[in-house]
Amino acid sequence: MPTTWINPFVEFDPLDLAPVLWLDADDLSTITSSSNNVSQWNDKSGNGYHVSQSTGTAQPKTGTVTRNGRNVIDFDGTGDYLIRTTATGIGRNVTGMTVYIVAKHDSQTDNSTPIATSSGTSTASNRFFIYLSGSSPSATMTAQGRTLDSDSAQATTSSAGSFADVWTTQVVVYDYADTALYQYIDGTLNGSNTAFQTATTSSNTNSLRLTVGINHALATAALMDGQIAEILVYHSAHSATTRASVYEYFKQKWDV
Amino acid sequence: MFYSWQSLSLFDTWHANVKEMLGIPYPGRNARTGEIDEDAQWTDAYTNPVIVSQTDVRAFVEDEIAVRFPDGLGVPTSPPIAIDDD
């Protein structure tokens, strides 16, 4: 009887889990630029949630910084950000959401927001946003969000640490069904809020604004000074097993 | 940095949320020094707005506050011009 060998090293493809948003700086075909200035970074999920910047002085850079030999998008901290002002279905009518960010903050003193999106009722209210605040070695990473547009935002904050000039994988799990919010830094739980919102699916409304490198209020204080390699957003609360697959994917690709 | 709100009401809404989240004013604590002071009176403002016009209410917001509390935050703007009373 022939022996059937199963290849245990099946390569993970982010599309296997149907991301709602996928920004990949290593895929140069998704980046529109001129003289290294990025005017658009395309979403690879198939949803077309591209983010862009028409103002030249506010365009982040591509082709200037690498990580593990792969291109990353560089934000200067003084004006660079990308934005989508048309509505997206991110976070709409779901029981959970998982956000993965591979990024590095350059500054020892930094307040910056890699990604944010507004609720379905107001660009002034976040659906979720994730940010770094404070100064190393006492900086913290925080994730905020809300289940329903009418809810108050809830947050979880990491322990204080030195996040400057170090590549990190930040993962935030929004479990709306179990009213829980979890934050993982480099695979380790670092912040949780088990009283997150009410146990229900999120509002059945589109998100109104998507920003990368700044918060949804476009506060200049929240401009990112650093690099973003990849962002993945999924419409489910990922288990430890699923997260492990994504971590391995990031490890092989970005050496993080 | 200074931020501008389109009305005092919008500023007050944002400001109230910030105070609630930060737990300020702190009861029994001197708002200026932060020291315990059982005789300290309640303060009513964490940051004082300047009403430039009905649709332009400006206030200084520390960077960390702007990052942590962007919901309802105003638009970045220049400092209001002080008018000397001669």
Side-chain angles (χ1 to χ4, degrees):
Chain A
M1 177 179 294
T3 301
T4 301
W5 296 96
I6 299 175
N7 184 356
F9 303 108
V10 176
E11 189 171 326
F12 172 77
D13 183 342
L15 291 176
D16 291 344
L17 301 176
V20 64
L21 176 72
W22 182 16
L23 299 174
D24 178 9
D26 182 45
D27 187 345
L28 300 183
S29 71
T30 65
I31 300 170
T32 305
S33 66
S34 176
S35 301
N36 300 116
N37 297 313
V38 178
S39 59
Q40 183 161 306
W41 192 4
N42 286 358
D43 166 30
K44 294 174 62 172
S45 73
N47 291 314
Y49 297 151
H50 314 320
V51 287
S52 61
Q53 178 57 261
S54 59
T55 302
T57 55
Q59 293 173 338
K61 294 286 193 294
T62 184
T64 57
V65 183
T66 62
R67 171 66 184 177
N68 202 27
R70 301 173 186 270
N71 182 61
V72 299
I73 304 295
D74 184 30
F75 297 78
D76 66 5
T78 61
D80 295 348
Y81 68 92
L82 299 166
I83 187 170
R84 179 178 179 84
T85 56
T86 51
T88 75
I90 297 174
R92 174 174 181 163
N93 196 30
V94 294
T95 59
M97 193 163 55
T98 305
V99 181
Y100 296 86
I101 303 169
V102 178
K104 178 171 78 72
H105 299 273
D106 285 343
S107 178
Q108 292 293 326
T109 301
D110 197 14
N111 291 297
S112 68
T113 302
I115 186 170
T117 186
S118 304
S119 76
T121 54
S122 171
T123 55
S125 298
N126 78 83
R127 175 150 276 168
F128 77 84
F129 78 107
I130 298 167
Y131 62 92
L132 175 76
S133 68
S135 59
S136 296
S138 299
T140 58
M141 286 192 173
T142 298
Q144 283 199 28
R146 46 166 51 82
T147 305
L148 300 176
D149 293 341
S150 57
D151 286 344
S152 298
Q154 299 295 318
T156 184
T157 297
S158 73
S159 54
S162 178
F163 297 105
D165 207 28
V166 59
W167 281 93
T168 59
T169 300
Q170 182 180 12
V171 181
V172 182
V173 177
Y174 296 86
D175 191 340
Y176 303 129
D178 284 345
T179 70
L181 169 62
Y182 301 103
Q183 176 173 243
Y184 302 87
I185 308 294
D186 295 330
T188 301
L189 180 66
N190 196 339
S192 65
N193 182 337
T194 55
F196 180 58
Q197 312 301 333
T198 52
T200 184
T201 56
S202 59
S203 286
N204 191 14
T205 57
N206 281 332
S207 295
L208 298 182
R209 176 183 285 175
L210 171 64
T211 56
V212 175
I214 198 170
N215 65 23
H216 52 291
L218 306 185
T220 52
L223 286 165
M224 181 160 179
D225 179 12
Q227 298 87 47
I228 298 176
E230 194 159 357
I231 294 175
L232 280 162
V233 181
Y234 291 95
H235 272 168
S236 63
H238 281 182
S239 66
T241 301
T242 302
R243 295 196 308 271
S245 296
V246 184
Y247 289 139
E248 182 61 27
Y249 161 76
F250 285 146
K251 180 180 177 182
Q252 297 297 325
K253 185 172 182 177
W254 300 108
D255 190 24
V256 291
Chain B
M1 173 152 219
F2 278 85
Y3 290 79
S4 171
W5 285 258
Q6 291 189 324
S7 71
L8 184 58
S9 173
L10 288 174
F11 168 79
D12 285 342
T13 299
W14 172 82
H15 189 204
N17 179 56
V18 172
K19 289 194 292 182
E20 179 181 350
M21 296 294 284
L22 293 177
I24 55 175
Y26 303 116
R29 188 183 296 270
N30 185 300
R32 182 176 63 83
T33 67
E35 297 174 345
I36 298 294
D37 180 357
E38 293 183 354
D39 295 326
Q41 298 300 306
W42 288 89
T43 58
D44 61 4
Y46 173 66
T47 183
N48 294 318
V50 175
I51 300 176
V52 176
S53 73
Q54 293 282 354
T55 59
D56 185 3
V57 176
R58 302 186 189 184
F60 178 79
V61 180
E62 294 179 359
D63 284 354
E64 190 163 342
I65 297 299
V67 170
R68 294 172 62 189
F69 303 106
D71 285 6
L73 178 67
V75 177
T77 188
S78 57
I81 298 174
I83 300 174
D84 294 331
D85 291 325
D86 292 326

